Every structure is written in C-alpha cells, then in structure tokens.
C-alpha cells in the first residue's frame, strides 16, 4: 500500500465521509436499486453499527500533511457476523474505495486487515457478496483465496448481489 495511505479503525467522525463514499461508489457499479447495501440504515452510522460484539470496521485515509490535524478518508471495509448464518462465519461488508485510493494496494491491505480482525474475533470463515461488473474486486477476492459459491449464504437482504465468495480463515 502506498506510504501516503494508512488504515485505522473507524470513529464517529468518519461516519459522514463513509456514507458519502458508499453513496458515490455503489452507483458507479450500478448498485443503487433495491437489494443493495446502499439502502442499509447503518450506512449513516457505521461507527455505531460496527461497535457491536464481533464486529470491526476500518477506514483507509490519505495521511495528513504535517501541519494538518487529520487525513482524508478514501474508503473502508468491515467484518460482522453473517446475518442468518452460522456463528463461525463472518461477512466482509461495505468495502468501497474512491477512485483516488484504487490501484495503490489499499484493497489488498484492507482485506488483510479485515481478515486478521475476523480471525481475532473467532470466525472460521469469511463470506462476501458482490456483483458482476466489480471485476477488480473479484480479482482481489480470488487472489486472496476466496472461492466462488453458486448461491448466497445467510440472510443479508442484498438480493441485488449476484456473486458470492467464501474463504476459510
């Protein structure tokens, strides 16, 4: 990952930036209708949603200049128990990056951060949902070791997604 970027846990001050990122990036890939995470109520308060037990959410930010107080949030991702799934399966959730964070290794670093957190939270497997057209993301998932599934797991409510992956941690 570029030295100009850093990953850290989300804080309440990041909620508005992450909501704006999700609402900007998802339509870029046609994920704005019913059945997509863009409509999840937690989009506006990710820091609270991921403060629950066995949850973690991280943001990637451009490091601040020496005279600045904080960096600029460029994306994020998290893990949480898979709704309607086995207790040992988490879901990689809401992994989105603005264009200026893409191609810099942020996705690889973020997914490794999330998987490390999932292991620390006691999960044995990690599930994710995505959609056709998110080709770079799917290449990253396969490179990380996720294997494609033929059908969804759990009850996420994201019926708009048409690609599903699982990784044994």
């Amino acid at each position: 990952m570029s030295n100009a970027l850093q990953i850290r846990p989300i804080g309440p001050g990041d909620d508005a930036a992450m909501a704006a990122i999700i609402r900007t990036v998802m339509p870029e890939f046609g994920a704005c209708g019913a059945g997509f995470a863009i409509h999840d109520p937690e989009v506006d308060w990710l820091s609270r949603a991921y403060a629950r037990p066995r949850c973690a959410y991280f943001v990637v930010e451009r490091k601040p200049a020496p005279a600045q107080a904080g960096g600029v949030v460029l994306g994020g991702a998290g893990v949480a128990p898979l709704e309607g799934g086995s207790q040992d399966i988490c879901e990689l959730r809401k992994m989105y990056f603005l264009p200026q964070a893409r191609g810099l290794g942020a996705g690889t670093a973020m997914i490794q951060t999330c998987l490390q957190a999932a292991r620390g939270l006691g999960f044995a497997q990690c599930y994710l949902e995505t959609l056709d057209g998110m080709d770079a993301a799917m290449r990253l998932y396969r490179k990380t070791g996720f294997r494609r599934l033929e059908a969804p797991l759990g009850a996420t409510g994201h019926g708009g997604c048409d690609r599903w992956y699982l990784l044994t941690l």
Side-chain angles (χ1 to χ4, degrees):
M1 183 170 77
S2 166
N3 288 336
L5 302 177
Q6 65 184 5
I7 294 175
R8 61 171 175 76
I10 194 169
D14 302 315
D15 286 343
M18 276 310 307
I21 289 167
I22 290 168
R23 290 185 176 116
T24 298
V25 173
M26 291 191 75
E28 179 183 342
F29 294 96
C32 50
F36 290 108
I38 195 170
H39 301 293
D40 292 353
E42 71 185 40
V43 167
D44 288 312
W45 41 273
L46 290 174
S47 65
R48 271 191 301 152
Y50 288 85
R52 298 183 330 241
R54 300 188 79 203
C55 296
Y57 197 91
F58 304 92
V59 295
V60 61
E61 68 179 359
R62 185 180 315 114
K63 290 180 184 177
Q68 292 179 328
V72 176
V73 174
L74 301 175
V79 292
L82 175 62
E83 295 289 332
S86 169
Q87 292 287 337
D88 69 341
I89 302 176
C90 69
E91 182 183 8
L92 180 68
R93 300 171 64 181
K94 295 183 177 58
M95 185 164 148
Y96 300 103
F97 301 97
L98 291 175
Q100 54 265 48
R102 298 176 198 163
L104 301 175
T108 299
M110 180 63 80
I111 207 165
Q112 292 305 322
T113 299
C114 288
L115 294 176
Q116 181 179 351
R119 289 181 193 99
L121 293 167
F123 293 105
Q125 294 181 301
C126 185
Y127 169 77
L128 67 85
E129 299 175 325
T130 189
L131 65 149
D132 190 41
M134 296 190 89
D135 301 330
M138 287 188 281
R139 280 192 301 276
L140 173 60
Y141 302 145
R142 287 189 303 270
K143 180 180 167 188
T144 303
F146 280 87
R147 62 179 172 82
R148 186 159 170 211
L149 302 175
E150 294 301 316
L153 299 178
T156 66
H158 299 147
C161 294
D162 58 6
R163 299 287 185 269
W164 313 278
Y165 291 85
L166 188 67
L167 173 73
T168 298
L169 299 170

